[in-house]
Amino acid sequence: MTDAPDGRPRPPVQWRRRGTRALVAARDGSVRGWRWWARSWDRLVAALQDEAPVGPAAAPAPSGPLIEQRDAPRLIAVPAKGYVYSFYVRATFAWSSPATMRAEVLSWYVQYFQPNAIQRLTRLAADAARDLPPHRAADLEVALQQALAEDPRWHYQRGDIVITCRPDAAVRLDERIMPALQPHVDRMVELEYQFEEQLRKARYAEHLSRQWATILSDDADDQDVADARDQLLTAQREAARWITDLLRRHGDHPPDPPTTPPIPAQPGPAPPTTD
């Protein structure tokens, strides 16, 4: 088929040329797309096989074991005694792997195993919280820390890959119970401060009385000095008993009462003699 008299191709020839150019462009695009997919697939396979990717974008793997720390996505709620209030556990997991594993592979395994670790920690917290009143969050945290110390490393395996997890937990009170506890806590803080203040004053007074007793014992010939010394020693013994009672009421083990260094008895003035 020939061109038209004006030199332009006839319509069938024009459409055939356009179709040929479109097929060539589609073929070239498919080849480029296939090459891109092949390169991406090779990088993915190399990463899953713990091998460095090929190409200029390859980065050296870090030396030593990999560690990835992740928090639980939300606080873990476990019921307190009575199942009205709850404790809330903030969980953190430190995941590690052999030195040959790449970071993106470790992240995949962490994402895969972390729900199992959260479930295990939830069971531990629920068992420890079942018999605790809702205001004893500190006791639950201590119990959890002791349980985790007995088994500090959790191991998870998929195929030949073993991942290690070190869990950690902190416990918070239920916000609904905080308004009821705050007046009691404020009162306890005030009493604790008063006790410490009284204890400091008592210890300082006892220290001064010991010093004065020593000074007066060195010059006990005078009757007035001897009387002052006896009164001071009596006050010192009363202060020692008061400190002991104060410590016993505070709940500590009763300390040994402070002992007063022995002071030799001084003879009083001789009675007047009669001729």
Side-chain angles (χ1 to χ4, degrees), residues 112-153:
Y112 183 82
F113 286 121
Q114 182 147 317
N116 296 338
I118 293 176
Q119 184 179 9
R120 182 174 178 179
L121 184 61
T122 302
R123 287 197 301 267
L124 287 176
D127 292 341
R130 187 172 294 113
D131 297 326
L132 288 177
H135 65 279
R136 294 173 57 183
D139 295 339
L140 175 58
E141 184 168 329
V142 170
L144 267 181
Q145 293 296 339
Q146 291 176 351
L148 295 179
E150 295 175 358
D151 187 11
R153 293 179 180 272

